[in-house]
Each structure stands twice: as C-alpha cells, then as structure tokens.
Amino acid sequence: MDDPLVFSLPDSVFVAFDDEPTVADRRGARHAIDADDFAAFFRRYGVDIREADGEDVRSLGDLLSTLSWEDAEATTVPHPADADELAALTRLFLAYGAAGASLDPADGTTTYLDDDGLRATARRTADGCDGCTAAAVDQIGATYYEICDPHRRALYRRAVEAAADDEPDLDAIDVADCVDRLESDDDPTAAAAALARVAREEPGRVRPASDALFDVLDRLRADPFADEGPATAAVTALAGLATVDAETRTRLVELLDDDHAGVRRCAATAVGVAAEDPPTAAALVASEDDDGLLDRVVGGAGSSPTIERLRAMLDEESPGNRARALFALTELARDEPAAVAPVAEAIRAHLGDDDPDARFRAIIALGVLARHDSDLVGDALGRLRGFAGGEGPDADAATVALAYCLAGGLDVGTDRGDLRRGMRDLADPSRQPVRTVREAALALGAVGSDSDRDYLSWVRDCAGSPRVANAAERAARDLRERV
C-alpha cells in the first residue's frame, strides 16, 4: 500500500471477520485500506477518507449498504472494481463503524492484541464474560469485541511476559568480553547495554568494567560529533555500579563539572538513576562519604557538591542539560528532600522553561518536594492547577505534582479520590509513556489506598522497564507503610 489508512480503535476493542475482507490488509488487531485506491470513490459522496472520524466511518458503512454495483460502477473510478469488492468494502465499513473506529494514517503503532494467539484468547474470554462485549454485526459475518478492564490487563500481562522470555539469561553475559568490546567496537552500544543489564541486578559484577565505561564518556569529550547512544547505555551501567562503589559515585559527581556539555548531561543522568536507591541518594548528597572521596571533590566538608553542581546546570543553555539536572534533583529529593530544598526556588523558576522535558521535570520535582515540605511550593500552586487543567505532558506532570501536594497537606482543589483515579490512569503501562507511568506509579504510593497494591503489582509486572518496575515496588511499600 502506498497510502495506508488504519481503522483505529481503543486497545481494548477489535473486530473479527468470518472471512477477511479482500479490500483490506490485516495489520495485527487492525485492518488497513489504501487511500489511493478508494479516495476518489468516496469523494463522489462528499467524504475525504483521509479525515474520516468515527461518525464518518459509520455513515459510510450505512451509505455503502444502500448502493448497488450499478450505482458504484456509475462513478467511473477504478475502485471498487467489481461487485465483490464493493461487498467487501461494505462489510469492512459496517463492522468498523459499529465498533466506533476512525480512519488514521498508519504510523507503526502496535498493540498487544496484534498477536493472533492473544486475540483468539480475547475472543474466548469475551464470549464467557458478562463485563466484556461480543457484538455480532448483523448479516455481514463480523463481530466486534470490547474487553473489560480486568481482562484487558490480564491479556497485556501475558503479552509482556511473552516478550520477556526472549531476553538472554543474565548469567550468559560475559563482563570481560563486554569490556573488550567497549574498547574495540566502533559502536559499543550493545556491550554497554549488556553491562547495564548486569549492573541493575548484580552491580558488583561490573566493577572490572568501570574504567572502560568512563572511557565511553571520554569519547564525547574527544569528538564533538560522537553518537551519544553508547554513552547513554554506559551511564545506565555506571548508575548501577554507583550503588555499590564509592569511587564511581565520586567520579560521576566530578563529571557534573566537566567542560563538555554532553559529559555533564550523562553524569546527571547517572546520578539521577543511581539516586533511585535510597542509600546511594544519601551518599550522593553527603559532603564526604565513608572513604572521604567526596572530600577531594570540594576540598573539605561543607554543602553537597552534587547539589551545587546540579544547581549550576539549571542555568545552562542546553535544554537537555537542564532537564537532566532537574531529573537528578527530583530523584535525590525523594529520599533526601532537605538537601534539595535550598534549590526549590531555582526549580520553581523552570516551571516556565521553554523546553517541554525540562518543564515536565521541574513540575514533578516541585511536587516531590511539596510532599515533604508544602511551603516549598511557594506561590506556584496556582500554576500547577493551571497546568493540570490543560492537556499533554504538562497536565500529566501537574496532576502528579498535585497528588504530592495533597499528600503534603495542601488544599489543591481536587479530592483524593479523583487524584487517586488519575494516578491509576497515568500509571497504566499499556497506554502511557514510560516516563509518565513511572512518575504516576510513585505518586500513587502517596495518595492511593490499600486496594491499589494489586494494581501496582500489575504495573510492576507489565512495566517493560526495570526502573518502572522498581518504582511500582517502591510505591507498594509506601502504601504498606502509610495505609
């Protein structure tokens, strides 16, 4: 197809045909038609199918059902080419019209129901469940299914588990071989990513790779046009190693002051990821650690060099550096809010940052601080409410922030039940971006109830990201301690 249009439906809805319509290609759970083939035909009836919403699809199905082949042939367009093609087109539009589908350009979006086996399971499930819908479309050999939310989540979990089975066993990763590849491969991304997997589960195993991983960051300094992909994987491995190795923590803090913007950005990312481990967060904000290693960074005891350097990054021209610094400050604030509180005013200033990622991070950071000290919100509560009343990432972040503000004792103008439901919606890994899922899951731990522990277990199992899974586990612990 040169110009495919896909019948779009929510991820819990799909259509099944007794006989597949010959005018469409099945693309997993959806069907697609070629706009070039049928646009001229539908234009004769006053519809641009490239802009067809649910009402248009339903109306076109009704229209097609009234047409004879003689009517269609009289339009003198190439398609539909014969009576069989007209009949197939009619069945297609009637079925998807009944399901409420729109037509949208194909964009590569996938769904767990793209798997034939899961779709067959969903059909059997819907046939035996009062909460699901299995509605036959009269006389065209088609049924549309809508899966209830508990079964939707169960099916999604199965899809995630099947995908996880394809990952290589952790014990099969040879750290020494990865070090060799870091030093010799033109693109060491795969080797760094393998080490990152090991570092998440067994950080001590990657100690021999420390120097080679830092060398990957050095390449950014040496080559202004270097691909940051290998460095991104390397910092994830270094973040894991930082949870057990003081020398690694100190080197990362030193790199927050590096002359190269890309190196500073990578170091801030590593600090933020490492700070997700509470003991590591405490070590990172200390003015010196048990080995005195941070003492050499600042030349003596005093305020935290980590916080000072992240604060300095907030003033950088690079939006990526500002966003990464805000991310690191947020993660440190979860367990060490007193250390981050002195930069709350600087964080509030970035609620109006021109960069959407930096703005998102500033909103979340302010919410995390508010949970521990509501006075740190200052006069920004109205802005958070304004963001939450909009749409998009700013609204999602602000809704999370308001949940934290409520947990911190502020009157946010929204009751706990609404914010709790909002957190559940935003923490759905089958429907939301990973960044949003992680933040909402953590906030659910602050405003949720004991009944949300099962939901957080599902989020953990379906996260598709170890960091999101860890966030769900942390939120569940938060609930156990709080409720």
Side-chain angles (χ1 to χ4, degrees):
M1 289 186 181
D2 296 327
D3 189 9
L5 292 174
V6 176
F7 288 91
S8 297
L9 290 165
D11 65 351
S12 57
V13 182
F14 66 98
V15 173
F17 292 91
D18 295 344
D19 295 304
E20 290 290 315
T22 56
V23 293
D25 288 346
R26 176 171 279 285
R27 300 193 172 191
R30 309 285 180 255
H31 287 81
I33 61 171
D34 195 332
D36 286 344
D37 283 350
F38 296 102
F41 174 69
F42 286 115
R43 271 199 302 270
R44 298 297 176 93
Y45 296 98
V47 176
D48 182 353
I49 59 168
R50 293 183 176 86
E51 298 179 357
D53 59 19
E55 184 176 342
D56 292 328
V57 171
R58 187 178 301 107
S59 297
L60 288 173
D62 292 339
L63 169 68
L64 288 166
S65 67
T66 68
L67 296 180
S68 66
W69 168 237
E70 288 74 17
D71 296 327
E73 189 177 29
T75 61
T76 67
V77 295
H79 294 280
D82 53 36
D84 289 341
E85 197 167 270
L86 175 63
L89 194 65
T90 301
R91 292 174 58 230
L92 185 70
F93 273 82
L94 283 173
Y96 274 104
S102 60
L103 272 171
D104 295 303
D107 60 3
T109 299
T110 60
T111 167
Y112 62 98
L113 287 175
D114 287 344
D115 181 84
D116 292 345
L118 277 179
R119 216 163 46 250
T121 300
R123 292 178 67 174
R124 292 192 298 271
T125 299
D127 287 337
C129 172
D130 292 338
C132 297
T133 297
V137 185
D138 289 344
Q139 300 180 343
I140 64 168
T143 305
Y144 77 84
Y145 296 87
E146 182 168 4
I147 308 303
C148 68
D149 197 60
H151 281 129
R152 178 188 71 84
R153 289 193 278 119
L155 288 165
Y156 187 78
R157 177 185 264 134
R158 289 183 59 175
V160 171
E161 289 171 348
D165 289 341
D166 295 334
E167 285 199 357
D169 186 67
L170 204 64
D171 292 336
I173 298 175
D174 186 331
V175 171
D177 177 66
C178 288
V179 171
D180 290 340
R181 289 160 56 201
L182 285 178
E183 296 170 344
S184 61
D185 286 3
D186 291 336
D187 181 3
T189 303
L195 289 171
R197 276 199 65 212
V198 176
R200 282 194 296 266
E201 303 295 333
E202 303 172 36
R205 276 184 62 196
V206 300
R207 273 195 175 97
S210 175
D211 288 340
L213 288 166
F214 277 107
D215 286 344
V216 174
L217 303 191
D218 285 339
R219 297 180 195 180
L220 293 179
R221 190 183 299 108
D223 180 2
F225 302 106
D227 178 11
E228 289 194 15
T232 300
V235 296
T236 305
L238 287 169
L241 182 55
T243 63
V244 296
D245 186 70
E247 176 70 27
T248 299
R249 290 195 295 272
T250 301
R251 292 179 71 176
L252 289 173
V253 173
E254 290 174 334
L255 291 179
L256 292 173
D257 199 31
D258 194 86
D259 291 337
H260 191 282
V263 173
R264 294 194 300 276
R265 182 163 56 251
C266 288
T269 301
V271 166
V273 175
E276 294 169 15
D277 173 60
T280 304
L284 283 165
V285 300
S287 57
E288 61 177 331
D289 61 16
D290 292 339
D291 299 317
L293 289 169
L294 287 183
D295 189 54
R296 82 168 190 237
V297 179
V298 291
S303 60
S304 166
T306 306
I307 302 300
E308 290 180 354
R309 292 176 179 187
L310 291 170
R311 166 64 184 86
M313 287 179 66
L314 297 184
D315 295 330
E316 293 193 23
E317 291 186 9
S318 165
N321 282 31
R322 298 196 302 272
R324 293 292 86 193
L326 286 161
F327 160 68
L329 287 167
T330 302
E331 298 312 312
L332 290 166
R334 295 192 198 278
D335 292 290
E336 301 297 327
V340 182
V343 300
E345 184 177 352
I347 291 172
R348 286 198 302 270
H350 287 276
L351 295 179
D353 198 294
D354 291 338
D355 179 68
D357 190 27
R359 197 165 56 246
F360 181 97
R361 298 295 178 184
I363 294 169
I364 296 292
L366 192 58
V368 170
L369 285 172
R371 184 185 185 186
H372 300 282
D373 183 353
S374 59
D375 290 340
L376 295 176
V377 176
D379 59 0
L381 184 58
R383 295 190 69 183
L384 294 178
R385 287 173 174 167
F387 283 134
E391 295 181 351
D394 286 355
D396 295 343
T399 304
V400 169
L402 289 178
Y404 283 127
C405 289
L406 180 70
L410 287 175
D411 179 2
V412 300
T414 304
D415 68 34
R416 183 178 292 268
D418 288 341
L419 284 171
R420 171 182 166 266
R421 286 186 288 274
M423 292 309 96
R424 286 175 64 105
D425 289 343
L426 292 174
D428 185 339
S430 70
R431 292 176 169 171
Q432 301 290 347
V434 168
R435 177 181 70 171
T436 302
V437 171
R438 180 175 180 273
E439 298 299 344
L442 287 165
L444 185 57
V447 297
S449 63
D450 189 60
S451 63
D452 292 316
R453 287 167 59 183
D454 285 344
Y455 186 80
L456 285 167
S457 294
W458 175 72
V459 174
R460 177 200 62 206
D461 294 344
C462 298
S465 158
R467 293 182 57 237
V468 175
N470 290 340
E473 289 181 354
R474 175 173 179 151
R477 290 195 300 272
D478 199 352
L479 282 177
R480 284 195 295 270
E481 293 169 1
R482 187 179 56 78
V483 177

